[in-house]
Amino acid sequence: MTDLSTTIAGVRFPSCFMNAAGALCVTREELVALGQSGSGAIVTKSMTVEPRQGNPEPRYYGFPGGSINSMGLPNLGYKAYAELIPDLKRFGKPVIASVAGLCEDDFPIIAAVINAAQPDLIEVNLSCPNIPGKPQIGYDPETSERVIKRVRSLITVPMGLKLPPYFDPAHHEVMGKVIGRHGVDFLNMINSVGNGLVVDPEREAVVIKPKGGFGGLGGRIIKPVALANVRAFYKLFQGKIPIIGTGGVVDGMDAFEHVLCGASAVQIGTVLVEEGLGSFDRLNNELTAVLARKGYRSLAECLGTVREL
Ligand code: HRO
């Protein structure tokens, strides 16, 4: 029998697949539907202090290679999620609360109240690319360190960071040092590849409205960037900080590649939005088949074992 269950920071997940924050996880109805689906966890939309409508539409566009979005953090506000979390735990799978903020002071306000609601894990989003005029925190090591420090002292459930993609080993190292100083329990990478631009040549126009068409790229086209970041941080921490791999997972083989690079679990965004909740059963079946064909009985047997030449 092939086992797709996994453990992150001591928390058991019945399947290694789950939604990425942002994908079908804003409303109560969407979160309950994730609970009833084949997802191995329920991940909330990144939350802010106040409820938000988000950026003007169109703000998401799917194309054959992936997607571009500039949602602008539409969410119910942290108080609503704090009330929902205890009920979401009835599905027998972990609940991960994704915490964001529009400024540094927002993070501890949200972290304290959400921690009291006792999700199974908290993910601190340092990498939203889509708030006009606000750079991604994860690209500034000093700001990242201040935010991590402030929430670390408030969070008692396993605490992770959602990181942006980095494109140079020097940046992996700098962030690795920051992360290593503060007892981070898990990492999730990558968020969307920020500030890409997709053009429709027929209409001679950009495809989303906010920020002149600039937005975060997801889906198939970002897989090599995601794998590189998973691998880089897996090696930096010698596998001691569990990693959730996110980016470019469309089928079971993509997930297998993430596991080989060092991901203990895998999140899906674009494919979930495009295909719906049935994608979890398909991915569970496909990864099971890949592992069985290769003679692996569990993810642990091939975690981080990609061969270097
Ligand atoms: O809401 C968004 O625009 C958004 C967020 Cl917070 C994020 O972290 N990543 C993304 O691609 N979009």
Side-chain angles (χ1 to χ4, degrees), residues 70 72 110 177 227 247 270:
S70 184
I110 301 172
K177 287 205 174 108
L227 294 177
T270 303

Side-chain angles (χ1 to χ4, degrees), residues 1-4 253 256-257 259-260 286-307:
M1 272 301 287
T2 313
D3 181 10
L4 292 191
M253 196 61 94
F256 180 61
E257 292 174 24
V259 175
L260 286 177
E286 288 175 358
L287 182 56
T288 299
V290 171
L291 294 180
R293 175 165 68 75
K294 288 174 164 286
Y296 295 119
R297 283 159 304 174
S298 70
L299 296 175
E301 290 180 3
C302 48
L303 178 62
T305 58
V306 71
R307 206 157 51 78

Side-chain angles (χ1 to χ4, degrees), residues 21-22 45-48 52 54-55 59 67-75 98 100-101 123 125-131 136 162 190-194 215-218:
K45 172 67 184 170
S46 293
M47 58 193 79
T48 51
R52 286 172 60 84
N55 290 338
R59 58 193 187 180
S67 68
I68 183 166
N69 88 83
S70 184
M71 306 303 289
L73 276 163
N75 77 97
S98 176
E123 174 179 293
N125 186 353
L126 299 182
S127 46
C128 175
N130 297 330
I131 304 301
Q136 291 171 74
K162 179 78 171 274
I190 56 175
N191 207 318
S192 58
V193 175
L217 302 172

